[in-house]
Amino acid sequence: MMKRYLTEGEQRLLLSAPKKFSDVLAQRDYAWMSLLNLTGFRVTEFSLLTVGCAHNALKLGYVFIPREHRKGKRKDHSKLVTQPVRDTLHELLNIRERMGYINHPDQPLVMSRNSKAMSVRSYQARVAHWAALAGLPDGVSPHWFRHTRAMNIMARTTSRDPRGIVQAELGHASIASTGIYTAVTREAMAAALNEVDGVVVRKRAVRQHTEWRAS
């Protein structure tokens, strides 16, 4: 059973946590968490995005990831810029300006408070922080957004080949790597077991009522 992803309800809880705060860092975290959720970026790849990458993506309609930035240095990969992705990229550029940074093409897209790019460890710590505030279990990490993107595609698309869509979106070299997303979901497991146990409870209640009437 696939476990390391966010259900629809958990996505709402996590992304609503920073929305309760008005400071620019909370706004920044909401924007980049939303973008990870919308794209399924690996956090290392995402941490290397620059202002220039964002501008090119807005112009061309694709976020380009060179092979040297990818895990295992696989071939280059591109991600489609849907309208929500476009809106979030614009917001991250605006947030940089609100934080007092000039949008120079070579500068990191997401900045820390110390005038540097956010590190992978910082992304991990911020996700853990917001997950705790949202009341989610321990262990939520940026990589969960990657799994969540895949699970959202599997659940929402009407494509005849959802696994192929996931493979293309995540940049898997083999369709076999995408097989994990066809496993039983936590929601389906819970619904099925509650249904089964509910039937047992109802049958027991009927039997007890019948026995009471007979006595």
Side-chain angles (χ1 to χ4, degrees):
M1 181 175 64
M2 184 66 184
K3 295 181 178 180
R4 295 188 304 149
Y5 71 98
L6 300 166
T7 65
E8 296 280 359
E10 289 168 343
Q11 291 171 63
R12 288 192 293 271
L13 284 173
L14 180 54
L15 293 176
S16 67
K19 295 288 283 184
K20 298 174 182 177
F21 299 84
S22 59
D23 62 281
V24 70
L25 293 181
Q27 295 169 5
R28 176 203 65 183
D29 290 352
Y30 171 77
W32 64 254
M33 285 196 299
S34 296
L35 194 54
L36 286 181
N37 205 46
L38 287 165
T39 60
F41 266 110
R42 287 188 174 91
V43 67
T44 300
E45 297 170 352
F46 183 77
S47 69
L48 295 172
L49 290 182
T50 64
V51 170
C53 291
H55 282 308
N56 286 336
L58 292 170
K59 178 181 178 180
L60 301 175
Y62 285 89
V63 181
F64 177 72
I65 311 167
R67 65 188 303 269
E68 58 268 24
H69 289 180
R70 301 196 64 214
K71 181 180 179 181
K73 298 190 184 300
R74 298 186 179 96
K75 62 182 181 179
D76 299 341
H77 183 53
S78 296
K79 288 184 175 290
L80 179 69
V81 176
T82 62
Q83 190 58 51
V85 171
R86 180 176 296 276
D87 293 342
T88 309
L89 286 172
H90 277 300
E91 180 61 14
L92 282 170
L93 291 170
N94 290 335
I95 286 170
R96 278 183 50 89
E97 294 181 352
R98 294 202 292 273
M99 291 178 69
Y101 299 116
I102 298 173
N103 280 335
H104 187 279
D106 294 333
Q107 289 294 307
L109 176 60
V110 183
M111 299 292 288
S112 66
R113 289 176 292 185
N114 59 5
S115 301
K116 296 180 180 179
M118 280 185 62
S119 66
V120 170
R121 183 168 295 184
S122 293
Y123 282 108
Q124 294 167 340
R126 297 305 291 170
V127 168
H129 167 74
W130 294 118
L133 284 184
L136 299 182
D138 293 340
V140 178
S141 74
H143 199 69
W144 283 43
F145 290 117
R146 183 170 174 82
H147 294 315
T148 300
R149 177 60 171 167
M151 297 300 279
N152 283 344
I153 292 171
M154 295 295 294
R156 299 173 185 174
T157 186
T158 59
S159 168
R160 292 184 178 181
D161 184 20
R163 282 206 306 165
I165 302 299
V166 171
Q167 180 188 15
E169 172 72 339
L170 299 189
H172 286 159
S174 169
I175 193 68
S177 301
T178 312
I180 60 171
Y181 301 114
T182 63
V184 175
T185 65
R186 288 184 285 138
E187 306 95 293
M189 177 71 80
L193 295 182
N194 283 322
E195 179 184 33
V196 170
D197 291 347
V199 169
V200 172
V201 170
R202 288 194 296 275
K203 287 183 177 179
R204 183 182 298 123
V206 170
R207 185 175 65 251
Q208 290 174 344
H209 179 71
T210 301
E211 292 170 351
W212 176 80
R213 291 289 299 273
S215 63

